[in-house]
Amino acid sequence: MNFPFFIARKYFLSGKKKNFINVISIISMVVVAIGTMSLILALSVFNGLEGLLRSMYGNFDPDIVITPSSGKSFQYDSIYTQQIKSVDGVLGVAEVVEDNVLVEYKDAQRLVRMKGVSRDFDKYSGIKNVMVSGEFPLVRDSIGYALIGRGVQYDLSLSLKNDFYTLQMYYPKDIGPGVVNPTKMYNLLNIIPGGIFAIEKSYDDNYVFVPLEFAKDLLNYKNRLSSFDVYLEEEASSSNVKEEIQNLLGADFEVKLGAELHSDLYKVLKIEKLFVFLILVSIIGIASINIFFSLTMLVIEKKKDISVLFAQGASGKLIRNIFLYEGCIVAFSGAFVGLILGIGLSLLQQHYGLVGMGMDSAVMNAYPIKIELLDVLLTILAIIVITILASIQPAVKAGKSFSTHTLQ
């Protein structure tokens, strides 16, 4: 057995004297344990929130979005679709026409973001996973239907069971001089509400999906599109597919991954996670001051023992290592307990949802949580660094000062 570690363990486990040094050591262990547990829980909650957002947005956003580099629409050519589908890993391509329109249902009106999509949307979109009522396909038995966000449904007091009312959509025309008849100033089309989806407030309060042909007729787009939504095979590398599509289409188009549409939000989450990590590590660092004081007093208390060791031939390095191990034992004991508690509570929250959101309208009933190995490793690394910094000064001092002592 390592001799310095053996002596350090004896000092740690010695129960003969329950003095002030023992109390400080116990306090250090408890604070390190609480800090470690809090760090694991906080980082896991941020991981869970990021995973929840990616899951929610993944149901709405395609894997890749292709938009024109300038303007809000472009002249469509079937060769574009053929080029995109020719790329390995592409599962489907939905042609998209999108713009703001006015919708009316009974006597209620509001502006919405209308998104007209082709048939590949029905096959591959994740919207079918978030339907709360009605049916998903936009086209059934050659009849077009609208999929409406739950927030839009609430604002319009829309009922899928009422077959007497349709959803009326208005879009302004390119008006020239001399137009007197108001009905000629806009396009008006009716569509049957087919289903309600619920993802997240910013989507639920704004979006309505319709068949591509309906959207083109309303917006008078003829042979123009707003974008392409590209869906990939599960094993496909999205970054490689994105690069290949960009090379095929050239500079006239901008190709983005679905996750890049919310890159600012994910960056904010990562920054918040970093600051939480630094704050909790600082708390553990403050707790390490207790380790510093307890080791300093232990050096004074064990002065005679160390003088005996030196007289028997112990080097300054051996004496220094004894107190380094003593500090590590105190810190790592607390860290081990904190890791067990943090991981255990995270797993309980993950499987049983012990802590709820506290809101009936929340997306999930309980706080999402996810443990990542990297967070555990970073926590352990931070504790190792803090422990060494807190222990090294008393240990070095002990190794130097007692080298001049003789056995008394």
Side-chain angles (χ1 to χ4, degrees), residues 161-204:
K161 297 180 181 180
N162 192 333
D163 297 330
F164 294 100
Y165 292 94
T166 60
L167 198 64
Q168 297 179 306
M169 293 192 172
Y170 299 84
Y171 188 78
K173 293 181 179 179
D174 295 330
I175 302 170
V179 176
V180 178
N181 188 349
T183 60
K184 294 184 178 180
M185 299 173 65
Y186 56 83
N187 292 329
L188 167 62
L189 291 177
N190 297 324
I191 191 168
I192 303 170
I196 308 297
F197 65 87
I199 302 176
E200 191 266 336
K201 185 176 174 61
S202 61
Y203 291 138
D204 300 345

Side-chain angles (χ1 to χ4, degrees), residues 260-313:
E260 292 177 346
L261 300 176
H262 310 284
S263 57
D264 291 342
L265 177 59
Y266 296 137
K267 285 180 182 177
V268 169
L269 271 179
K270 290 186 182 299
I271 291 172
E272 289 180 349
K273 181 180 176 180
L274 174 62
F275 275 99
V276 168
F277 177 81
L278 294 176
I279 290 170
L280 291 175
V281 166
S282 300
I283 293 173
I284 297 175
I286 293 171
S288 70
I289 295 175
N290 290 328
I291 299 175
F292 172 84
F293 284 123
S294 66
L295 287 180
T296 302
M297 288 186 286
L298 185 64
V299 169
I300 297 171
E301 182 186 353
K302 301 300 181 181
K303 177 179 178 181
K304 189 171 183 178
D305 295 351
I306 298 173
S307 297
V308 171
L309 289 172
F310 178 74
Q312 291 179 342

Side-chain angles (χ1 to χ4, degrees), residues 92-153:
V93 180
E95 299 154 7
V96 178
V97 167
E98 186 173 354
D99 209 335
N100 296 322
V101 300
L102 176 71
V103 296
E104 182 177 16
Y105 184 80
K106 296 183 181 178
D107 296 325
Q109 294 181 339
R110 62 159 297 172
L111 285 173
V112 299
R113 188 72 175 173
M114 181 195 68
K115 186 169 182 177
V117 287
S118 60
R119 300 298 176 86
D120 274 7
F121 176 86
D122 287 351
K123 297 178 184 177
Y124 308 117
S125 174
I127 291 292
K128 56 177 169 289
N129 301 321
V130 291
M131 297 294 296
V132 293
S133 62
E135 298 182 36
F136 169 67
L138 288 170
V139 179
R140 303 192 295 272
D141 298 327
S142 300
I143 299 175
Y145 294 87
L147 300 181
I148 301 160
R150 183 161 56 181
V152 177
Q153 178 203 14

Side-chain angles (χ1 to χ4, degrees), residues 349 352-358 365-368:
Q349 175 68 15
Y352 299 105
L354 301 178
V355 181
M357 288 286 195
N365 294 327
Y367 275 97

Side-chain angles (χ1 to χ4, degrees), residues 17 23 39 45 51 53 61 116 165 172 179 185 217 232 242 247 251 253 265 267 276 281 307 315 319 390 400:
K17 294 182 179 180
V23 174
L39 190 54
V45 168
L53 289 175
D61 298 321
Y165 292 94
V179 176
M185 299 173 65
D217 290 343
L232 305 182
K242 170 191 171 182
N247 292 335
F253 292 89
L265 177 59
K267 285 180 182 177
V276 168
V281 166
S307 297
S315 64
I319 294 171
K400 288 182 178 179

Side-chain angles (χ1 to χ4, degrees), residues 284-296 323-324 327-328 331 383-396:
I284 297 175
I286 293 171
S288 70
I289 295 175
N290 290 328
I291 299 175
F292 172 84
F293 284 123
S294 66
L295 287 180
T296 302
F323 292 96
L324 277 176
C328 290
I383 292 170
I384 291 173
V385 172
I386 289 171
T387 302
I388 293 174
L389 291 176
S391 305
I392 194 167
Q393 200 275 341
V396 170

Side-chain angles (χ1 to χ4, degrees), residues 9 13 24 47 137 191 199 252 258 299 326 333 385:
R9 192 183 67 172
L13 297 176
I24 293 178
N47 295 334
I191 191 168
I199 302 176
D252 292 337
V299 169
E326 178 71 15
S333 297
V385 172

